[in-house]
Amino acid sequence: MLRFSCAFLLGITASTAAFAHASLETTQAPTGSYYTAVIRITHGCNGSPTKKVMVKIPEGATSVRPQPKPGWNLHIIKTKLDQPYKDAHGREISERVSEVHWTDGKLLDEHYDEFRIRLKLPEAPPGTVTYFPTVQECEQGVHRWIEIPQPGQKASELREPAPAVTLTAKP
Ligand SMILES: [Cu+2]
C-alpha cells in the first residue's frame, strides 16, 4: 500500500483538483492578441459522459472561430452589438459571437478532450482576468464552471470556477 505524507497528499489534491476541472490550457496571453482558447474537459459528471459543452465568449473578444469536432454538432450564438464597428478589412460588424455550443457528442468520464476557439482577446489593462464561463452537460448531471472569484478570493476556493486567462502587456 503506497503511503503519501499529508502535505504531499494535500499538495496533490490541491493541484489535481484545479487541473481536474474545466480549465484553459494557456492561462496568460497579451491583451488584444490572437489566442486559442483550449478548454480542457477532464472528467464527466459523477461518472456520467459529457454530451454538451457550452462556452460564453468574453465581451470585447472578436474574430471568434470555434474548431469543429467530429461526432459533435457545432452552434455559434450571435448577439447584436450596441455599437457596430469596422473590422481590419473595413467590413461593418454589427453582431458578436457570444456563445459557442458543442452538442450531441459523447465524451466518457474516463476520457479527456479539448474544445478549441480561436479569437482576438479583448483590449484591456494588463492584469485583467478574462473568463470563459463553461457549462458541461452530461447524460446525467451538469457542471457549471461559471463561478468568478470575488476580490481577494482564489479560484481554487470555488467549487466550479470559470476557466480564466490573465491578460499581460503587449510584447
Ligand atoms: Cu474537477
Side-chain angles (χ1 to χ4, degrees):
M1 166 72 187
L2 283 178
R3 288 185 182 285
F4 291 118
S5 75
C6 182
F8 184 71
L9 189 58
L10 276 174
I12 287 183
T13 312
S15 65
T16 47
F19 176 74
H21 290 343
S23 61
L24 283 161
E25 185 174 66
T26 307
T27 56
Q28 295 205 341
T31 183
S33 66
Y34 282 93
Y35 169 77
T36 303
V38 179
I39 291 164
R40 304 175 296 187
I41 298 292
T42 57
H43 59 72
C45 311
N46 290 324
S48 176
T50 302
K51 64 176 184 176
K52 191 189 274 192
V53 174
M54 298 177 281
V55 181
K56 204 161 181 272
I57 306 298
E59 297 258 355
T62 57
S63 305
V64 179
R65 286 181 173 71
Q67 187 173 53
K69 293 181 71 67
W72 298 75
N73 291 323
L74 181 54
H75 308 272
I76 295 175
I77 316 295
K78 293 185 176 176
T79 303
K80 277 231 163 302
L81 287 171
D82 297 335
Q83 286 175 328
Y85 65 93
K86 286 207 183 315
D87 73 2
H89 305 285
R91 285 176 303 219
E92 168 101 356
I93 307 292
S94 61
E95 53 186 11
R96 72 179 192 99
V97 175
S98 51
E99 291 183 30
V100 172
H101 298 178
W102 287 269
T103 66
D104 313 304
K106 185 165 186 167
L107 175 62
L108 297 180
D109 176 59
E110 55 264 40
H111 293 163
Y112 161 84
D113 209 347
E114 300 172 346
F115 296 79
R116 295 166 167 256
I117 305 166
R118 180 82 175 153
L119 50 82
K120 191 171 182 300
L121 285 166
E123 296 276 355
T128 303
V129 182
T130 300
Y131 296 95
F132 291 75
T134 298
V135 174
Q136 173 192 7
E137 260 185 45
C138 296
E139 288 178 2
Q140 280 161 358
V142 61
H143 278 302
R144 290 186 175 78
W145 309 107
I146 64 171
E147 294 172 22
I148 309 277
Q150 295 302 310
Q153 195 179 27
K154 287 200 216 83
S156 56
E157 294 167 28
L158 302 171
R159 217 171 57 80
E160 295 186 315
V165 56
T166 301
L167 302 181
T168 58
K170 290 183 194 238

